[in-house]
Amino acid sequence: MQRVTATILTIGDELLIGQVIDTNGAWLGQVLNSIGVWVSRRVLIGDNETDILQALDEASASSDIIIITGGLGPTKDDLTKGILNEYFGGKLVLHEPSLEIIKGIFEKSNRPMLPVNIQQAEVPDVCTVLLNSRGTAPGMQFERAGKLFFSLPGVPYEMKGLTEQYVLKAIQTKFSLGEVSHRTMTTMGLGESFVAERIADIEDHLPGNIKLAYLPGHQAVRLRLTEVLQSGDSSLIDTYFHQIKERLSEIVVTDQDISLPELIAALLIKFNKRVTTAESCTGGYLAAGLTALSGASAYIHGSVVSYDNAVKENLLKVPASVLKTEGAVSEPVVIQMAKQVRILMHADYSIAVSGILGPTGGTEDKPVGTVWIAVASEREVVTKLCHFRYDRLHNREATTLQALNLLRKLIEAENPLPEFPG
Amino acid sequence: MQRVTATILTIGDELLIGQVIDTNGAWLGQVLNSIGVWVSRRVLIGDNETDILQALDEASASSDIIIITGGLGPTKDDLTKGILNEYFGGKLVLHEPSLEIIKGIFEKSNRPMLPVNIQQAEVPDVCTVLLNSRGTAPGMQFERAGKLFFSLPGVPYEMKGLTEQYVLKAIQTKFSLGEVSHRTMTTMGLGESFVAERIADIEDHLPGNIKLAYLPGHQAVRLRLTEVLQSGDSSLIDTYFHQIKERLSEIVVTDQDISLPELIAALLIKFNKRVTTAESCTGGYLAAGLTALSGASAYIHGSVVSYDNAVKENLLKVPASVLKTEGAVSEPVVIQMAKQVRILMHADYSIAVSGILGPTGGTEDKPVGTVWIAVASEREVVTKLCHFRYDRLHNREATTLQALNLLRKLIEAENPLPEFPG
């Protein structure tokens, strides 16, 4: 059986001039992939008839499934419905159930309905209507030459609702799909090319239905195995995943598909520990990353941003003499910051960072990108000196990842662990 | 003069399965738009020769400029360079200057170079090399039939560097784009459609060479006027910009194209004042935003993240009784947090926030999205109660913008100002 492919067609001028970052396409890619549909391309175009028609022709020539989002609003620049109506040779008819929903929405918000809003309930008589309970624009399903076309609103909340309620089912009914599974691990400490070199022989012997992808990022390289199973095949993805994991064991940060803050959160919750941070150059970014996750109150109670030496002295008890002789960006300073903030915040673990992120502030012996990191527990303090060569914000990101990974190692060293957390 | 159009071609399987959200395309759309190039479509495809070649043919048939990002890494799944080499009928030759940069990067990180890394310095002999000082993959520029092709790494930091250093200049040299100028203002307090309604008559009378774009964001709506001048035209952009500014005066936050943190930083530096933050629900995000800017040490010395009540009590002296009777998310609590952190950090101004960002933690009388904000100076404390309806991270962003805008008003009220800061 050959693979079922989809094109995701996103419509809206705002996407072309970069006003809006398209998240619909990524979300659709994930859910389609999870049911065994391969997204072969994503196309973003403006609210323009010629471009939309051309994209429809290209997509239906190359894909089994075409999912269109956007351009269904009530304003002049929303052309999608009319164009699809012509493209499939239908005529617009009023869809009563959709009209009822629209009326309800306007009653709830006590706003008068305009003619344009009633027109939103009109649909081509050649489509299957996907009733949109979350908004005023009904979804539409068309079929031609064995291919499925879906037109969905661009509002993510509405698009997701229709996809989960109708689109995936319709696809699974129409096509016999293989079963797709992924395994992802994150490594730190080696560049992409070195990781690839290390596992070249394993990669060369992967079966045809398993693909390896490298997802390089700041300080980290993620590896993802994807396996497509047809009925009857037996899965080998775990076997190869573990082979690679073994080969890279000392640089593997996690074998789960989660971010480093998510990993730290999972470890802290698992061992019922709390962390705190004392931040100079990152200025609160570490704490913000740790508190960005729901449920953070379980593992972080507070942090100190000590951007200025006065705060390091007064709140974190760093001796003025040390600041004077060693400088704020030095090992003894981050050690004292880490020790003191852990006590101040009654935490089990602490992270302290002090560095020069740039573009200014560098010196001969401490150039821009010089960062000292310390992580502390009740028992010990571990430090690391880093030299980054990015711009200010990327240096901040790199500092954060290195600090979190240093903390991970300390937590794992001090707590009984299965081979990998999560 | 007809419109110069571009296609942005983004290559990488990870984008199709939604493991990564493409931000390069949006950024490129913005910068191309700002120099007067119209992005007519964006296409995202996998690391697959057939798809890449097809996309190249389509793009060169419909656009003057084709910008390709991604697929330049050292690993097997990176095919772009080889395909472009064939497409333009070249042969790969070693590019010494790029090799020097690669060597330097590996020396800095004390790692041995691999054959694949040397291969990264090979480029088609039919391209103009765009020297990439930020990474190991050189950029490439091709020209065919009057169209420009650029191949850039997918790493945003490297892609942006090459775009700013070479790509924009090459485009401006090759095409007569007219002289493009922008004026941008930020408003807060009215939704996009209401802002549009307020200035509809002005918008209707804009000359053909001036376009108005709405850039709606969280809590704020930015308006951007873009004027394209041909030689001989006289500029009218300022006239219309001021008309709109007058009409919207009470909701205009700034008439500069800067972010709210940049605006606050400019005000604090201008009046030689310092700010601090006491953050519960934002968990350091406010401080991180204020310290993200170079030169932050001039206006922020430190902050306290008081995520847990114990920290509010011990460090910020919020009486346990008040926390008990009023709850952590209450006006008296943020008032005390703001007052105390201002004293603790020896600052002129302070921001305190306490709220429920969700998805959990909401109650009957304090649902998810309830946030109390206080800003304090030596003279006064101003508070605001907000009710947001987004997810956790968007509620955090909205809280930050409302808090910074509240601070802006306090600073402007207490300091002599020109009509608009910046």
Side-chain angles (χ1 to χ4, degrees), chain A residues 18 30 51 135 139 151 176 183 305 346 374:
Chain A
Q30 280 178 10
D51 294 348
S151 170
S176 85
R183 293 293 311 267
V305 176
H346 306 286

Side-chain angles (χ1 to χ4, degrees), chain B residues 188-206:
Chain B
M188 284 181 73
L190 271 188
E192 179 184 8
S193 53
F194 294 93
V195 174
E197 195 172 350
R198 278 247 199 128
I199 59 172
D201 58 321
I202 301 175
E203 187 172 2
D204 291 342
H205 293 85
L206 288 174

Side-chain angles (χ1 to χ4, degrees), chain A residues 3 8 13 15-23 25-31 33 38-46 48 51 54-55 58 62 182 184 189-194 196-197 200 203-204 211-216 218 222 224 226 257 280-289 291-298 300-311 314-315 344-346 358-360 389-394 396, chain B residues 3 8 13-23 25-30 33 38-48 51 54-55 58 62 73-78 105-106 108 111-117 120 133-135 155-157 160 213-216 224 280-289 291-297 300-308 310-311 314-315 344-346 358-360 392-393 396:
Chain A
R3 125 172 133 165
I8 298 171
D13 287 341
L15 295 152
L16 296 178
I17 65 173
Q19 278 176 24
V20 176
I21 288 174
D22 170 43
T23 56
W27 186 85
L28 281 167
Q30 280 178 10
V31 294
N33 196 256
W38 176 251
V39 176
S40 55
R41 64 162 33 188
R42 289 165 49 191
V43 179
L44 293 78
I45 52 177
N48 167 306
D51 294 348
Q54 186 195 342
E58 289 169 4
S62 65
H182 300 284
T184 303
L190 274 186
E192 180 183 7
S193 52
F194 292 89
E197 175 93 353
E203 186 172 3
D204 291 341
K211 275 191 79 175
L212 172 64
Y214 295 87
L215 313 172
H218 272 289
R222 289 192 301 151
R224 187 192 62 240
T226 303
D257 188 8
S280 189
C281 58
T282 50
Y285 190 72
L286 262 164
T291 53
L293 308 170
S294 178
S297 52
I300 182 165
H301 281 193
S303 286
V304 171
V305 176
S306 55
Y307 206 71
D308 187 77
N309 283 353
V311 182
N314 303 335
L315 215 51
L344 183 69
M345 293 293 175
H346 306 286
T360 61
R389 37 174 203 83
Y390 315 114
D391 62 17
R392 182 175 179 85
L393 292 188
H394 291 93
R396 183 177 71 165
Chain B
R3 186 151 88 160
I8 299 171
D13 288 342
E14 66 278 12
L15 296 153
L16 296 178
I17 70 163
Q19 193 141 8
V20 172
I21 288 173
D22 169 45
T23 56
W27 185 85
L28 281 167
Q30 277 178 10
N33 191 254
W38 176 250
V39 176
S40 55
R41 64 161 34 188
R42 290 166 49 190
V43 180
L44 293 81
I45 53 179
D47 301 285
N48 168 304
D51 294 349
Q54 186 194 342
E58 290 169 5
S62 65
T75 55
K76 287 188 186 56
D77 58 351
D78 294 302
I105 289 171
F106 278 87
K108 264 211 187 118
R111 291 181 187 149
M113 275 178 71
L114 302 172
V116 288
N117 301 116
Q120 285 200 279
S133 58
R134 297 180 170 184
V155 180
Y157 173 61
K160 291 177 181 178
Y214 294 89
L215 316 174
R224 186 186 63 219
S280 188
C281 58
T282 49
Y285 190 72
L286 262 165
T291 53
L293 308 169
S294 179
S297 52
I300 181 166
H301 281 191
S303 285
V304 171
V305 176
S306 55
Y307 206 71
D308 187 77
V311 182
N314 303 336
L315 215 51
L344 184 69
M345 294 292 174
H346 306 286
T360 61
R392 182 176 180 84
L393 291 189
R396 182 177 71 166

Side-chain angles (χ1 to χ4, degrees), chain A residues 1-16:
Chain A
M1 185 199 78
Q2 81 185 65
R3 125 172 133 165
V4 176
T5 62
T7 293
I8 298 171
L9 190 54
T10 311
I11 297 173
D13 287 341
E14 67 278 12
L15 295 152
L16 296 178

